[in-house]
Amino acid sequence: NTMASHHRGRIPSHLAPAVALLFAFIIALPASGDPLGQLCGNSGNFTANSTYQANIRRLSATLPKNASSSPTLFATDTFGTLPDIVYALALCRGDTSAANCSQCVATAFQDAQQRCPYNQDATIFYDPCALRFSNQNFLSSTNGDGTLLLLMNTQNVSAPVKVFNAAVGVLLNATANYAAANSSRRFGTGEEGFETVDKGTPKIYGLAQCTPDMAPADCQTCLQGIIKRMPEFFSGKQGGRVLGLRCNYRYEQYRFFNGPSLLQLPAPSVGLAPAPAPANVKPPPVGGGEKHREQNG
Ligand SMILES: *[C@@H]1O[C@H](CO)[C@@H](O)[C@H](O)[C@H]1NC(C)=O
Ligand SMILES: *[C@@H]1O[C@H](CO)[C@@H](O)[C@H](O)[C@H]1NC(C)=O
Ligand SMILES: *[C@@H]1O[C@H](CO)[C@@H](O)[C@H](O)[C@H]1NC(C)=O
Ligand SMILES: *[C@@H]1O[C@H](CO)[C@@H](O)[C@H](O)[C@H]1NC(C)=O
Ligand SMILES: *[C@@H]1O[C@H](CO)[C@@H](O)[C@H](O)[C@H]1NC(C)=O
Ligand SMILES: *[C@@H]1O[C@H](CO)[C@@H](O)[C@H](O)[C@H]1NC(C)=O
Ligand SMILES: *[C@@H]1O[C@H](CO)[C@@H](O)[C@H](O)[C@H]1NC(C)=O
């Protein structure tokens, strides 16, 4: 079972000097529904029964619904006044149902307060959603805060590592381009043939997403920044995820998302450089998010 041996952690400092050092090795991925990880901030604590806590509670009552009822499965909100103002952002994965989205964000408010007790600033990641609340106005910019959560599928590929890494790069690039430019949800999924290289694992699957309030160019920049480091993080590994608040991606050798792949790429020709551009690209959906949502359940 490939799920049984993932490892997660923040980027080690020698790889990303700007990012805090914290590595957590885990034997098994969290149970379904549990957080993949959380980042507790350092902008101070609130106290029990304070106005700040009440303001978090107010947001926790509305944000799950606001995100899940939005066609982009995304919502930001603020509540309260200085010094007790709370800024919050919730994003669900683009293939998540409204019910799962709402449930995930509601759980995220509870778990975040449990895992970062009395912390004014908490970010928490799940498979179907991510949430941050903070006393810092992180909504004023769509640049990430630099913190990333990495999850690695520790299984090695049987294919030649360079060929595999290059194929993943092509897939993630195309999927990122789709997410940035061709979808109102800033969400893309794709599959790429790999049978010319490894008949046993005939496809690679990818997913990329940004928060839908990002301009295409900013989304592209955010995704390229983490995709170009794929060989550094996950070289030769069967799967990997980089989760940031503003953008994220994942790839695996099995289908891990709901619904059809929005992009289909041909297999690389073994021995040749992988094709520079995707072929067989499905036409972009008209109208964006709503349509996907129906399609993808
Ligand atoms: C905030 O609360 C945590 C957990 O209760 C505690 O460990 C930490 O020392 C507190 N920090 C400050 C600045 O009071
Ligand atoms: C917070 O409120 C609850 C319920 O009203 C009460 O039981 C608890 O003692 C209060 N805690 C503090 C620190 O005031
Ligand atoms: C969230 O939903 C509530 C009602 O449930 C509404 O009052 C509020 O304006 C919404 N917030 C945003 C940012 O859309
Ligand atoms: C909703 O959540 C259930 C239970 O975790 C999961 O099996 C299902 O695939 C999810 N569906 C969507 C569309 O998000
Ligand atoms: C993957 O390969 C590395 C070295 O190439 C090796 O150290 C590691 O044990 C392998 N992992 C698995 C799960 O086979
Ligand atoms: C992905 O796109 C970037 C920027 O457009 C490019 O520099 C890089 O070579 C591409 N990577 C692959 C594997 O195609
Ligand atoms: C995005 O749409 C444009 C124009 O509609 C098209 O040229 C391009 O190939 C599409 N890109 C992807 C990755 O789907």
PDB file of all heavy atoms in Angstrom, residues 89-125:
ATOM      1  N   LEU A  89      -9.045  32.561   5.636  1.00  0.00           N
ATOM      2  CA  LEU A  89      -9.115  32.093   4.250  1.00  0.00           C
ATOM      3  C   LEU A  89      -9.379  30.587   4.265  1.00  0.00           C
ATOM      4  O   LEU A  89      -8.742  29.847   5.017  1.00  0.00           O
ATOM      5  CB  LEU A  89      -7.778  32.385   3.551  1.00  0.00           C
ATOM      6  CG  LEU A  89      -7.562  31.930   2.098  1.00  0.00           C
ATOM      7  CD1 LEU A  89      -6.491  32.802   1.434  1.00  0.00           C
ATOM      8  CD2 LEU A  89      -7.160  30.464   1.987  1.00  0.00           C
ATOM      9  N   ALA A  90     -10.310  30.165   3.437  1.00  0.00           N
ATOM     10  CA  ALA A  90     -10.573  28.734   3.276  1.00  0.00           C
ATOM     11  C   ALA A  90     -10.599  28.393   1.797  1.00  0.00           C
ATOM     12  O   ALA A  90     -11.202  29.115   0.996  1.00  0.00           O
ATOM     13  CB  ALA A  90     -11.902  28.352   3.927  1.00  0.00           C
ATOM     14  N   LEU A  91      -9.921  27.320   1.434  1.00  0.00           N
ATOM     15  CA  LEU A  91      -9.899  26.856   0.045  1.00  0.00           C
ATOM     16  C   LEU A  91     -10.135  25.348   0.037  1.00  0.00           C
ATOM     17  O   LEU A  91      -9.451  24.610   0.742  1.00  0.00           O
ATOM     18  CB  LEU A  91      -8.541  27.142  -0.597  1.00  0.00           C
ATOM     19  CG  LEU A  91      -8.344  26.580  -2.016  1.00  0.00           C
ATOM     20  CD1 LEU A  91      -9.259  27.279  -3.016  1.00  0.00           C
ATOM     21  CD2 LEU A  91      -6.892  26.703  -2.457  1.00  0.00           C
ATOM     22  N   CYS A  92     -11.103  24.917  -0.764  1.00  0.00           N
ATOM     23  CA  CYS A  92     -11.295  23.478  -0.937  1.00  0.00           C
ATOM     24  C   CYS A  92     -10.708  23.058  -2.273  1.00  0.00           C
ATOM     25  O   CYS A  92     -10.634  23.853  -3.210  1.00  0.00           O
ATOM     26  CB  CYS A  92     -12.783  23.119  -0.894  1.00  0.00           C
ATOM     27  SG  CYS A  92     -13.508  23.411   0.740  1.00  0.00           S
ATOM     28  N   ARG A  93     -10.279  21.814  -2.356  1.00  0.00           N
ATOM     29  CA  ARG A  93      -9.752  21.289  -3.614  1.00  0.00           C
ATOM     30  C   ARG A  93     -10.853  21.355  -4.666  1.00  0.00           C
ATOM     31  O   ARG A  93     -12.023  21.136  -4.357  1.00  0.00           O
ATOM     32  CB  ARG A  93      -9.280  19.847  -3.406  1.00  0.00           C
ATOM     33  CG  ARG A  93      -7.973  19.559  -4.098  1.00  0.00           C
ATOM     34  CD  ARG A  93      -7.433  18.239  -3.658  1.00  0.00           C
ATOM     35  NE  ARG A  93      -8.115  17.136  -4.328  1.00  0.00           N
ATOM     36  CZ  ARG A  93      -7.751  15.862  -4.185  1.00  0.00           C
ATOM     37  NH1 ARG A  93      -6.744  15.550  -3.400  1.00  0.00           N
ATOM     38  NH2 ARG A  93      -8.388  14.921  -4.831  1.00  0.00           N
ATOM     39  N   GLY A  94     -10.469  21.652  -5.884  1.00  0.00           N
ATOM     40  CA  GLY A  94     -11.445  21.930  -6.927  1.00  0.00           C
ATOM     41  C   GLY A  94     -12.351  20.773  -7.289  1.00  0.00           C
ATOM     42  O   GLY A  94     -13.377  20.969  -7.937  1.00  0.00           O
ATOM     43  N   ASP A  95     -11.996  19.561  -6.876  1.00  0.00           N
ATOM     44  CA  ASP A  95     -12.830  18.393  -7.196  1.00  0.00           C
ATOM     45  C   ASP A  95     -13.649  17.929  -5.987  1.00  0.00           C
ATOM     46  O   ASP A  95     -14.186  16.831  -5.989  1.00  0.00           O
ATOM     47  CB  ASP A  95     -11.948  17.239  -7.693  1.00  0.00           C
ATOM     48  CG  ASP A  95     -10.911  16.809  -6.671  1.00  0.00           C
ATOM     49  OD1 ASP A  95     -10.622  17.585  -5.742  1.00  0.00           O
ATOM     50  OD2 ASP A  95     -10.381  15.684  -6.785  1.00  0.00           O
ATOM     51  N   THR A  96     -13.719  18.782  -4.977  1.00  0.00           N
ATOM     52  CA  THR A  96     -14.441  18.411  -3.753  1.00  0.00           C
ATOM     53  C   THR A  96     -15.925  18.765  -3.887  1.00  0.00           C
ATOM     54  O   THR A  96     -16.260  19.786  -4.474  1.00  0.00           O
ATOM     55  CB  THR A  96     -13.837  19.185  -2.557  1.00  0.00           C
ATOM     56  OG1 THR A  96     -12.441  18.952  -2.523  1.00  0.00           O
ATOM     57  CG2 THR A  96     -14.445  18.753  -1.250  1.00  0.00           C
ATOM     58  N   SER A  97     -16.781  17.949  -3.318  1.00  0.00           N
ATOM     59  CA  SER A  97     -18.208  18.282  -3.313  1.00  0.00           C
ATOM     60  C   SER A  97     -18.446  19.399  -2.304  1.00  0.00           C
ATOM     61  O   SER A  97     -17.672  19.588  -1.362  1.00  0.00           O
ATOM     62  CB  SER A  97     -19.025  17.054  -2.935  1.00  0.00           C
ATOM     63  OG  SER A  97     -18.764  16.680  -1.601  1.00  0.00           O
ATOM     64  N   ALA A  98     -19.542  20.131  -2.493  1.00  0.00           N
ATOM     65  CA  ALA A  98     -19.866  21.229  -1.578  1.00  0.00           C
ATOM     66  C   ALA A  98     -20.014  20.704  -0.146  1.00  0.00           C
ATOM     67  O   ALA A  98     -19.531  21.330   0.804  1.00  0.00           O
ATOM     68  CB  ALA A  98     -21.142  21.933  -2.027  1.00  0.00           C
ATOM     69  N   ALA A  99     -20.636  19.539   0.005  1.00  0.00           N
ATOM     70  CA  ALA A  99     -20.847  19.002   1.352  1.00  0.00           C
ATOM     71  C   ALA A  99     -19.518  18.676   2.021  1.00  0.00           C
ATOM     72  O   ALA A  99     -19.291  19.011   3.186  1.00  0.00           O
ATOM     73  CB  ALA A  99     -21.734  17.755   1.283  1.00  0.00           C
ATOM     74  N   ASN A 100     -18.619  18.021   1.277  1.00  0.00           N
ATOM     75  CA  ASN A 100     -17.311  17.691   1.844  1.00  0.00           C
ATOM     76  C   ASN A 100     -16.512  18.952   2.152  1.00  0.00           C
ATOM     77  O   ASN A 100     -15.758  18.994   3.123  1.00  0.00           O
ATOM     78  CB  ASN A 100     -16.515  16.815   0.874  1.00  0.00           C
ATOM     79  CG  ASN A 100     -17.016  15.380   0.850  1.00  0.00           C
ATOM     80  OD1 ASN A 100     -18.043  15.044   1.420  1.00  0.00           O
ATOM     81  ND2 ASN A 100     -16.258  14.523   0.173  1.00  0.00           N
ATOM     82  N   CYS A 101     -16.667  19.961   1.304  1.00  0.00           N
ATOM     83  CA  CYS A 101     -15.941  21.221   1.493  1.00  0.00           C
ATOM     84  C   CYS A 101     -16.369  21.877   2.796  1.00  0.00           C
ATOM     85  O   CYS A 101     -15.541  22.235   3.633  1.00  0.00           O
ATOM     86  CB  CYS A 101     -16.201  22.139   0.295  1.00  0.00           C
ATOM     87  SG  CYS A 101     -15.475  23.789   0.438  1.00  0.00           S
ATOM     88  N   SER A 102     -17.659  22.016   2.965  1.00  0.00           N
ATOM     89  CA  SER A 102     -18.197  22.660   4.155  1.00  0.00           C
ATOM     90  C   SER A 102     -17.766  21.926   5.424  1.00  0.00           C
ATOM     91  O   SER A 102     -17.306  22.522   6.400  1.00  0.00           O
ATOM     92  CB  SER A 102     -19.721  22.697   4.023  1.00  0.00           C
ATOM     93  OG  SER A 102     -20.291  23.099   5.218  1.00  0.00           O
ATOM     94  N   GLN A 103     -17.883  20.614   5.368  1.00  0.00           N
ATOM     95  CA  GLN A 103     -17.501  19.770   6.509  1.00  0.00           C
ATOM     96  C   GLN A 103     -16.014  19.917   6.839  1.00  0.00           C
ATOM     97  O   GLN A 103     -15.610  20.028   8.000  1.00  0.00           O
ATOM     98  CB  GLN A 103     -17.808  18.318   6.142  1.00  0.00           C
ATOM     99  CG  GLN A 103     -17.121  17.275   6.991  1.00  0.00           C
ATOM    100  CD  GLN A 103     -17.991  16.844   8.139  1.00  0.00           C
ATOM    101  OE1 GLN A 103     -19.082  16.332   7.937  1.00  0.00           O
ATOM    102  NE2 GLN A 103     -17.500  17.069   9.341  1.00  0.00           N
ATOM    103  N   CYS A 104     -15.194  19.936   5.801  1.00  0.00           N
ATOM    104  CA  CYS A 104     -13.745  20.027   5.991  1.00  0.00           C
ATOM    105  C   CYS A 104     -13.357  21.354   6.639  1.00  0.00           C
ATOM    106  O   CYS A 104     -12.565  21.388   7.579  1.00  0.00           O
ATOM    107  CB  CYS A 104     -13.034  19.850   4.640  1.00  0.00           C
ATOM    108  SG  CYS A 104     -11.239  19.789   4.758  1.00  0.00           S
ATOM    109  N   VAL A 105     -13.936  22.437   6.160  1.00  0.00           N
ATOM    110  CA  VAL A 105     -13.576  23.756   6.709  1.00  0.00           C
ATOM    111  C   VAL A 105     -14.072  23.889   8.143  1.00  0.00           C
ATOM    112  O   VAL A 105     -13.376  24.441   9.008  1.00  0.00           O
ATOM    113  CB  VAL A 105     -14.123  24.895   5.812  1.00  0.00           C
ATOM    114  CG1 VAL A 105     -13.827  26.258   6.426  1.00  0.00           C
ATOM    115  CG2 VAL A 105     -13.519  24.802   4.406  1.00  0.00           C
ATOM    116  N   ALA A 106     -15.249  23.349   8.428  1.00  0.00           N
ATOM    117  CA  ALA A 106     -15.762  23.406   9.799  1.00  0.00           C
ATOM    118  C   ALA A 106     -14.848  22.628  10.753  1.00  0.00           C
ATOM    119  O   ALA A 106     -14.492  23.109  11.831  1.00  0.00           O
ATOM    120  CB  ALA A 106     -17.184  22.848   9.849  1.00  0.00           C
ATOM    121  N   THR A 107     -14.444  21.431  10.326  1.00  0.00           N
ATOM    122  CA  THR A 107     -13.521  20.622  11.130  1.00  0.00           C
ATOM    123  C   THR A 107     -12.189  21.329  11.299  1.00  0.00           C
ATOM    124  O   THR A 107     -11.554  21.260  12.356  1.00  0.00           O
ATOM    125  CB  THR A 107     -13.300  19.252  10.445  1.00  0.00           C
ATOM    126  OG1 THR A 107     -14.560  18.627  10.278  1.00  0.00           O
ATOM    127  CG2 THR A 107     -12.391  18.365  11.272  1.00  0.00           C
ATOM    128  N   ALA A 108     -11.757  22.023  10.249  1.00  0.00           N
ATOM    129  CA  ALA A 108     -10.461  22.715  10.285  1.00  0.00           C
ATOM    130  C   ALA A 108     -10.429  23.766  11.391  1.00  0.00           C
ATOM    131  O   ALA A 108      -9.415  23.923  12.078  1.00  0.00           O
ATOM    132  CB  ALA A 108     -10.176  23.346   8.921  1.00  0.00           C
ATOM    133  N   PHE A 109     -11.526  24.506  11.582  1.00  0.00           N
ATOM    134  CA  PHE A 109     -11.563  25.495  12.662  1.00  0.00           C
ATOM    135  C   PHE A 109     -11.377  24.819  14.024  1.00  0.00           C
ATOM    136  O   PHE A 109     -10.656  25.322  14.886  1.00  0.00           O
ATOM    137  CB  PHE A 109     -12.898  26.257  12.643  1.00  0.00           C
ATOM    138  CG  PHE A 109     -12.878  27.491  11.771  1.00  0.00           C
ATOM    139  CD1 PHE A 109     -13.476  27.488  10.528  1.00  0.00           C
ATOM    140  CD2 PHE A 109     -12.261  28.655  12.213  1.00  0.00           C
ATOM    141  CE1 PHE A 109     -13.473  28.622   9.726  1.00  0.00           C
ATOM    142  CE2 PHE A 109     -12.246  29.796  11.425  1.00  0.00           C
ATOM    143  CZ  PHE A 109     -12.855  29.779  10.176  1.00  0.00           C
ATOM    144  N   GLN A 110     -12.014  23.670  14.201  1.00  0.00           N
ATOM    145  CA  GLN A 110     -11.894  22.967  15.489  1.00  0.00           C
ATOM    146  C   GLN A 110     -10.484  22.413  15.691  1.00  0.00           C
ATOM    147  O   GLN A 110      -9.859  22.625  16.729  1.00  0.00           O
ATOM    148  CB  GLN A 110     -12.890  21.807  15.548  1.00  0.00           C
ATOM    149  CG  GLN A 110     -14.328  22.260  15.616  1.00  0.00           C
ATOM    150  CD  GLN A 110     -15.310  21.098  15.493  1.00  0.00           C
ATOM    151  OE1 GLN A 110     -14.904  19.931  15.424  1.00  0.00           O
ATOM    152  NE2 GLN A 110     -16.583  21.415  15.466  1.00  0.00           N
ATOM    153  N   ASP A 111     -10.008  21.684  14.669  1.00  0.00           N
ATOM    154  CA  ASP A 111      -8.686  21.055  14.790  1.00  0.00           C
ATOM    155  C   ASP A 111      -7.585  22.099  14.964  1.00  0.00           C
ATOM    156  O   ASP A 111      -6.639  21.903  15.727  1.00  0.00           O
ATOM    157  CB  ASP A 111      -8.380  20.206  13.552  1.00  0.00           C
ATOM    158  CG  ASP A 111      -9.231  18.943  13.478  1.00  0.00           C
ATOM    159  OD1 ASP A 111      -9.863  18.584  14.489  1.00  0.00           O
ATOM    160  OD2 ASP A 111      -9.241  18.315  12.402  1.00  0.00           O
ATOM    161  N   ALA A 112      -7.689  23.201  14.231  1.00  0.00           N
ATOM    162  CA  ALA A 112      -6.641  24.224  14.304  1.00  0.00           C
ATOM    163  C   ALA A 112      -6.536  24.769  15.719  1.00  0.00           C
ATOM    164  O   ALA A 112      -5.442  25.003  16.230  1.00  0.00           O
ATOM    165  CB  ALA A 112      -6.926  25.349  13.307  1.00  0.00           C
ATOM    166  N   GLN A 113      -7.680  24.940  16.364  1.00  0.00           N
ATOM    167  CA  GLN A 113      -7.647  25.478  17.732  1.00  0.00           C
ATOM    168  C   GLN A 113      -7.187  24.440  18.737  1.00  0.00           C
ATOM    169  O   GLN A 113      -6.698  24.782  19.811  1.00  0.00           O
ATOM    170  CB  GLN A 113      -9.039  26.012  18.116  1.00  0.00           C
ATOM    171  CG  GLN A 113      -9.367  27.292  17.368  1.00  0.00           C
ATOM    172  CD  GLN A 113     -10.774  27.770  17.645  1.00  0.00           C
ATOM    173  OE1 GLN A 113     -11.017  28.504  18.603  1.00  0.00           O
ATOM    174  NE2 GLN A 113     -11.703  27.356  16.813  1.00  0.00           N
ATOM    175  N   GLN A 114      -7.322  23.163  18.360  1.00  0.00           N
ATOM    176  CA  GLN A 114      -6.819  22.110  19.234  1.00  0.00           C
ATOM    177  C   GLN A 114      -5.315  21.918  19.056  1.00  0.00           C
ATOM    178  O   GLN A 114      -4.581  21.727  20.014  1.00  0.00           O
ATOM    179  CB  GLN A 114      -7.518  20.809  18.884  1.00  0.00           C
ATOM    180  CG  GLN A 114      -8.100  20.085  20.073  1.00  0.00           C
ATOM    181  CD  GLN A 114      -9.117  19.065  19.601  1.00  0.00           C
ATOM    182  OE1 GLN A 114      -8.816  18.237  18.735  1.00  0.00           O
ATOM    183  NE2 GLN A 114     -10.313  19.143  20.141  1.00  0.00           N
ATOM    184  N   ARG A 115      -4.867  21.993  17.807  1.00  0.00           N
ATOM    185  CA  ARG A 115      -3.460  21.705  17.515  1.00  0.00           C
ATOM    186  C   ARG A 115      -2.567  22.918  17.690  1.00  0.00           C
ATOM    187  O   ARG A 115      -1.340  22.762  17.805  1.00  0.00           O
ATOM    188  CB  ARG A 115      -3.339  21.154  16.104  1.00  0.00           C
ATOM    189  CG  ARG A 115      -4.010  19.784  16.003  1.00  0.00           C
ATOM    190  CD  ARG A 115      -3.788  19.162  14.658  1.00  0.00           C
ATOM    191  NE  ARG A 115      -4.206  17.772  14.667  1.00  0.00           N
ATOM    192  CZ  ARG A 115      -3.583  16.800  13.995  1.00  0.00           C
ATOM    193  NH1 ARG A 115      -2.521  17.077  13.274  1.00  0.00           N
ATOM    194  NH2 ARG A 115      -4.023  15.567  14.055  1.00  0.00           N
ATOM    195  N   CYS A 116      -3.153  24.095  17.633  1.00  0.00           N
ATOM    196  CA  CYS A 116      -2.402  25.319  17.910  1.00  0.00           C
ATOM    197  C   CYS A 116      -3.165  26.057  19.004  1.00  0.00           C
ATOM    198  O   CYS A 116      -3.773  27.102  18.763  1.00  0.00           O
ATOM    199  CB  CYS A 116      -2.307  26.201  16.658  1.00  0.00           C
ATOM    200  SG  CYS A 116      -1.534  25.421  15.218  1.00  0.00           S
ATOM    201  N   PRO A 117      -3.161  25.529  20.237  1.00  0.00           N
ATOM    202  CA  PRO A 117      -4.060  26.049  21.266  1.00  0.00           C
ATOM    203  C   PRO A 117      -3.797  27.518  21.585  1.00  0.00           C
ATOM    204  O   PRO A 117      -2.654  27.905  21.798  1.00  0.00           O
ATOM    205  CB  PRO A 117      -3.781  25.151  22.481  1.00  0.00           C
ATOM    206  CG  PRO A 117      -2.568  24.359  22.166  1.00  0.00           C
ATOM    207  CD  PRO A 117      -2.359  24.399  20.690  1.00  0.00           C
ATOM    208  N   TYR A 118      -4.864  28.309  21.535  1.00  0.00           N
ATOM    209  CA  TYR A 118      -4.836  29.733  21.847  1.00  0.00           C
ATOM    210  C   TYR A 118      -3.903  30.531  20.937  1.00  0.00           C
ATOM    211  O   TYR A 118      -3.582  31.673  21.234  1.00  0.00           O
ATOM    212  CB  TYR A 118      -4.504  29.970  23.322  1.00  0.00           C
ATOM    213  CG  TYR A 118      -5.520  29.338  24.233  1.00  0.00           C
ATOM    214  CD1 TYR A 118      -5.192  28.237  25.023  1.00  0.00           C
ATOM    215  CD2 TYR A 118      -6.821  29.817  24.266  1.00  0.00           C
ATOM    216  CE1 TYR A 118      -6.142  27.633  25.834  1.00  0.00           C
ATOM    217  CE2 TYR A 118      -7.782  29.214  25.072  1.00  0.00           C
ATOM    218  CZ  TYR A 118      -7.435  28.129  25.854  1.00  0.00           C
ATOM    219  OH  TYR A 118      -8.384  27.536  26.641  1.00  0.00           O
ATOM    220  N   ASN A 119      -3.486  29.918  19.849  1.00  0.00           N
ATOM    221  CA  ASN A 119      -2.626  30.648  18.911  1.00  0.00           C
ATOM    222  C   ASN A 119      -3.488  31.548  18.032  1.00  0.00           C
ATOM    223  O   ASN A 119      -4.491  31.102  17.476  1.00  0.00           O
ATOM    224  CB  ASN A 119      -1.824  29.659  18.058  1.00  0.00           C
ATOM    225  CG  ASN A 119      -0.604  30.303  17.444  1.00  0.00           C
ATOM    226  OD1 ASN A 119      -0.706  31.349  16.815  1.00  0.00           O
ATOM    227  ND2 ASN A 119       0.558  29.680  17.628  1.00  0.00           N
ATOM    228  N   GLN A 120      -3.068  32.779  17.873  1.00  0.00           N
ATOM    229  CA  GLN A 120      -3.845  33.711  17.053  1.00  0.00           C
ATOM    230  C   GLN A 120      -3.710  33.429  15.574  1.00  0.00           C
ATOM    231  O   GLN A 120      -4.470  33.975  14.772  1.00  0.00           O
ATOM    232  CB  GLN A 120      -3.389  35.150  17.341  1.00  0.00           C
ATOM    233  CG  GLN A 120      -3.796  35.622  18.713  1.00  0.00           C
ATOM    234  CD  GLN A 120      -3.511  37.087  18.908  1.00  0.00           C
ATOM    235  OE1 GLN A 120      -2.354  37.504  19.033  1.00  0.00           O
ATOM    236  NE2 GLN A 120      -4.542  37.890  18.929  1.00  0.00           N
ATOM    237  N   ASP A 121      -2.712  32.631  15.216  1.00  0.00           N
ATOM    238  CA  ASP A 121      -2.416  32.409  13.792  1.00  0.00           C
ATOM    239  C   ASP A 121      -2.206  30.912  13.573  1.00  0.00           C
ATOM    240  O   ASP A 121      -1.264  30.327  14.110  1.00  0.00           O
ATOM    241  CB  ASP A 121      -1.159  33.193  13.418  1.00  0.00           C
ATOM    242  CG  ASP A 121      -0.838  33.142  11.933  1.00  0.00           C
ATOM    243  OD1 ASP A 121      -1.489  32.371  11.188  1.00  0.00           O
ATOM    244  OD2 ASP A 121       0.073  33.883  11.516  1.00  0.00           O
ATOM    245  N   ALA A 122      -3.087  30.305  12.802  1.00  0.00           N
ATOM    246  CA  ALA A 122      -2.942  28.869  12.547  1.00  0.00           C
ATOM    247  C   ALA A 122      -3.299  28.558  11.101  1.00  0.00           C
ATOM    248  O   ALA A 122      -4.231  29.137  10.534  1.00  0.00           O
ATOM    249  CB  ALA A 122      -3.837  28.067  13.493  1.00  0.00           C
ATOM    250  N   THR A 123      -2.528  27.663  10.494  1.00  0.00           N
ATOM    251  CA  THR A 123      -2.804  27.173   9.138  1.00  0.00           C
ATOM    252  C   THR A 123      -2.889  25.664   9.231  1.00  0.00           C
ATOM    253  O   THR A 123      -2.046  25.039   9.890  1.00  0.00           O
ATOM    254  CB  THR A 123      -1.655  27.543   8.176  1.00  0.00           C
ATOM    255  OG1 THR A 123      -1.433  28.947   8.248  1.00  0.00           O
ATOM    256  CG2 THR A 123      -1.998  27.158   6.739  1.00  0.00           C
ATOM    257  N   ILE A 124      -3.890  25.083   8.577  1.00  0.00           N
ATOM    258  CA  ILE A 124      -4.058  23.637   8.674  1.00  0.00           C
ATOM    259  C   ILE A 124      -4.462  23.081   7.308  1.00  0.00           C
ATOM    260  O   ILE A 124      -5.225  23.707   6.578  1.00  0.00           O
ATOM    261  CB  ILE A 124      -5.069  23.297   9.803  1.00  0.00           C
ATOM    262  CG1 ILE A 124      -5.090  21.802  10.111  1.00  0.00           C
ATOM    263  CG2 ILE A 124      -6.455  23.839   9.517  1.00  0.00           C
ATOM    264  CD1 ILE A 124      -5.663  21.474  11.479  1.00  0.00           C
ATOM    265  N   PHE A 125      -3.851  21.946   6.962  1.00  0.00           N
ATOM    266  CA  PHE A 125      -4.060  21.347   5.636  1.00  0.00           C
ATOM    267  C   PHE A 125      -4.717  19.975   5.763  1.00  0.00           C
ATOM    268  O   PHE A 125      -4.335  19.170   6.620  1.00  0.00           O
ATOM    269  CB  PHE A 125      -2.713  21.148   4.925  1.00  0.00           C
ATOM    270  CG  PHE A 125      -2.008  22.421   4.574  1.00  0.00           C
ATOM    271  CD1 PHE A 125      -0.957  22.887   5.349  1.00  0.00           C
ATOM    272  CD2 PHE A 125      -2.385  23.155   3.458  1.00  0.00           C
ATOM    273  CE1 PHE A 125      -0.293  24.061   5.023  1.00  0.00           C
ATOM    274  CE2 PHE A 125      -1.730  24.323   3.126  1.00  0.00           C
ATOM    275  CZ  PHE A 125      -0.673  24.783   3.908  1.00  0.00           C
TER     276      PHE A 125
END
